[in-house]
Amino acid sequence: MDNFISDISGKQFPLEQRISGASIRQPILKLVKKEYPNFANDKYIAASELMKFKEAYIIEFLKDESGQLSQLDQQVIDSFKENRVISASLDGDNKDTERIGDRIADKVAEFGGSWTFIISFVLFLLVWIVFNIYWLNNKGFDPYPFILLNLILSCVAALQAPVIMMSQNRQEDKDRERARNDYMVNLKAELEIRELHEKIDHLIIRKEQELANVQRDQVEKLSYLLKKMEKIEEAFNSR
């Protein structure tokens, strides 16, 4: 396997890891030159060595106004270094940690905000009123003005409101978690796109260098052939 010697560390690396200074983006190149002033566009560095400077550039790029790195940004940087995929799924991760009370609150809120609950409750009220006024001749257990029914309605409203608020708070937490996940995925995608641009630039420059080397070899061979033909022609004319 062909190797090359890095111009910043003097160590040998596989040839496919060789990256020229001309193919490195200027912000990252400045970080390399800051630590290694002799490094120039005609020098070479290994991809594994360049990753350290890319990480430093990403950290500086993501720091907020306070000069600190947020926890989300640090997780994205770690996944970028370790080449891990950030999962955008949210519901599947939280189902295992949900408590029974949370599930009950979700079910109550789901049922309380449906037409099934509205129609059922209206039918219950009608049956209650008709049963007490007509069937029991307004002398039953809850005659008009239906004090017991009002008490039941007040208890239902008093219990249903906090349960619905609990479910709404949990939904807000899910929305925040989903927004957090979207931010991490988008940031990781942006970093990956930047990395892809660098790889494409490096590939183009490398191919251009190979093409220049091939053209130089062809020119040298043509020059050699022309000189040889001139010598043959001189030898033929001297006769």
Side-chain angles (χ1 to χ4, degrees):
M1 181 182 294
D2 296 333
N3 296 327
F4 80 101
I5 298 177
S6 172
D7 291 318
I8 65 172
S9 64
K11 298 180 181 179
Q12 286 190 353
F13 293 92
L15 189 61
E16 57 267 15
Q17 286 198 21
R18 187 179 69 176
I19 298 177
S20 65
S23 63
I24 302 175
R25 289 193 296 128
Q26 287 299 321
I28 302 177
L29 185 61
K30 288 180 180 179
L31 294 177
V32 179
K33 288 183 177 181
K34 184 178 180 180
E35 189 169 346
Y36 300 94
N38 295 328
F39 190 82
N41 291 343
D42 57 346
K43 303 291 184 179
Y44 294 97
I45 185 176
S48 56
E49 294 177 322
L50 186 62
M51 181 57 66
K52 179 184 69 173
F53 299 99
K54 288 181 180 179
E55 179 184 352
Y57 168 71
I58 292 173
I59 291 175
E60 291 296 328
F61 177 75
L62 295 179
K63 280 184 179 178
D64 54 15
E65 296 179 355
S66 62
Q68 296 180 351
L69 202 64
S70 66
Q71 184 180 2
L72 298 182
D73 295 338
Q74 186 61 51
Q75 292 180 8
V76 173
I77 292 175
D78 294 339
S79 67
F80 185 77
K81 289 192 302 183
E82 300 172 5
N83 199 21
R84 289 187 288 105
V85 176
I86 297 178
S87 175
S89 61
L90 176 63
D91 297 333
D93 296 338
N94 292 336
K95 284 183 178 179
D96 297 336
T97 58
E98 285 183 349
R99 295 173 296 181
I100 297 178
D102 296 333
R103 298 178 183 177
I104 293 176
D106 289 342
K107 294 296 183 181
V108 172
E110 181 181 357
F111 177 71
S114 63
W115 280 105
T116 302
F117 171 76
I118 295 175
I119 295 174
S120 302
F121 206 71
V122 169
L123 290 177
F124 170 76
L125 295 178
L126 291 177
V127 170
W128 184 285
I129 294 172
V130 170
F131 184 75
N132 281 276
I133 292 180
Y134 296 101
W135 187 266
L136 299 179
N137 199 19
N138 205 22
K139 297 179 181 180
F141 58 89
D142 189 25
Y144 181 84
F146 312 112
I147 297 176
L148 180 60
L149 179 61
N150 289 326
L151 178 62
I152 294 174
L153 294 177
S154 300
C155 292
V156 171
L159 293 176
Q160 189 180 25
V163 171
I164 293 176
M165 291 179 64
M166 287 170 55
S167 180
Q168 290 178 346
N169 291 335
R170 293 189 65 254
Q171 186 62 41
E172 290 178 358
D173 292 338
K174 288 183 179 180
D175 292 339
R176 282 193 295 269
E177 185 69 18
R178 187 175 291 107
R180 171 180 174 273
N181 249 26
D182 292 341
Y183 169 78
M184 294 175 63
V185 171
N186 293 335
L187 180 58
K188 177 68 179 300
E190 181 180 353
L191 296 177
E192 291 288 353
I193 291 173
R194 287 174 175 264
E195 180 74 9
L196 182 60
H197 278 301
E198 291 181 5
K199 290 181 179 179
I200 293 176
D201 293 339
H202 169 63
L203 181 60
I204 292 174
I205 293 175
R206 185 172 180 179
K207 292 299 181 183
E208 289 178 349
Q209 291 175 349
E210 292 178 356
L211 181 60
N213 293 333
V214 171
Q215 290 177 346
R216 185 174 61 253
D217 292 340
Q218 291 178 349
V219 170
E220 290 177 355
K221 291 178 180 179
L222 287 174
S223 299
Y224 174 75
L225 291 175
L226 288 174
K227 290 179 181 180
K228 194 171 182 180
M229 289 177 64
E230 289 176 356
K231 289 182 180 180
I232 295 174
E233 186 176 356
E234 290 176 359
F236 181 77
N237 293 332
S238 62
R239 293 181 182 179

